[in-house]
Amino acid sequence: MVINAESSDNGSLWRLQTLACNAVTIDGTRFTITAPNGASMVGTVLVPDTVTIRRGTWRRVTVNNAPSCLYRGEEVYDNTWIEFDCAGAVTVVMTIQRGDAPTVTQRADGIEVGGVPYQLDQDVITGGGLPPG
């Protein structure tokens, strides 16, 4: 699991990219990236609390039009991007799994992922068996 909580004075866009061979679905404030082997990464956007997640594909090549990436020996040209607008602050919880993703809940004192509480304290995340800051 990754809790991506960040802020900036001038940030206005959050973006993530993946190889286009991965399927991408969007459901409200969640996106799911599913690999060809069935494993998935589910991202749940908690901040901002209202977002419109967009996705698209772009061709990724080098100057001489060669593929810029090899994946399991195959040439990869296309990437899929996932993005949403923000106003300087973002919190996205990303879980990686096979099967169902754990439930992610925003709480007054932090975040709960699969029933395990985590607290965000500036640059330190505590809880869920993580060592303190």
Side-chain angles (χ1 to χ4, degrees):
M1 174 196 52
V2 175
I3 300 174
N4 173 226
E6 56 187 308
S7 64
S8 74
D9 292 335
N10 63 354
S12 62
L13 181 75
W14 185 91
R15 180 178 267 201
L16 179 73
Q17 298 183 106
T18 185
L19 297 177
C21 63
N22 297 321
V24 175
T25 58
I26 298 169
D27 183 15
T29 59
R30 290 173 49 135
F31 60 87
T32 302
I33 300 170
T34 305
N37 68 3
S40 68
M41 182 177 85
V42 176
T44 303
V45 181
L46 299 176
V47 175
D49 57 1
T50 303
V51 294
T52 300
I53 300 173
R54 300 176 295 273
R55 72 163 178 237
T57 302
W58 63 282
R59 178 133 295 210
R60 178 180 173 168
V61 294
T62 62
V63 174
N64 60 359
N65 209 31
S68 62
C69 183
L70 290 176
Y71 176 72
R72 298 189 180 218
E74 298 290 322
E75 297 177 343
V76 176
Y77 288 95
D78 294 327
N79 276 9
T80 298
W81 50 263
I82 302 160
E83 69 179 21
F84 59 86
D85 297 320
C86 59
V90 172
T91 302
V92 182
V93 176
M94 293 172 275
T95 62
I96 301 169
Q97 60 278 311
R98 287 191 181 272
D100 295 336
T103 302
V104 175
T105 306
Q106 177 96 32
R107 300 171 13 154
D109 62 345
I111 299 168
E112 190 172 289
V113 180
V116 178
Y118 296 86
Q119 291 182 337
L120 292 139
D121 181 11
Q122 293 185 15
D123 295 331
V124 179
I125 300 169
T126 59
L130 293 174

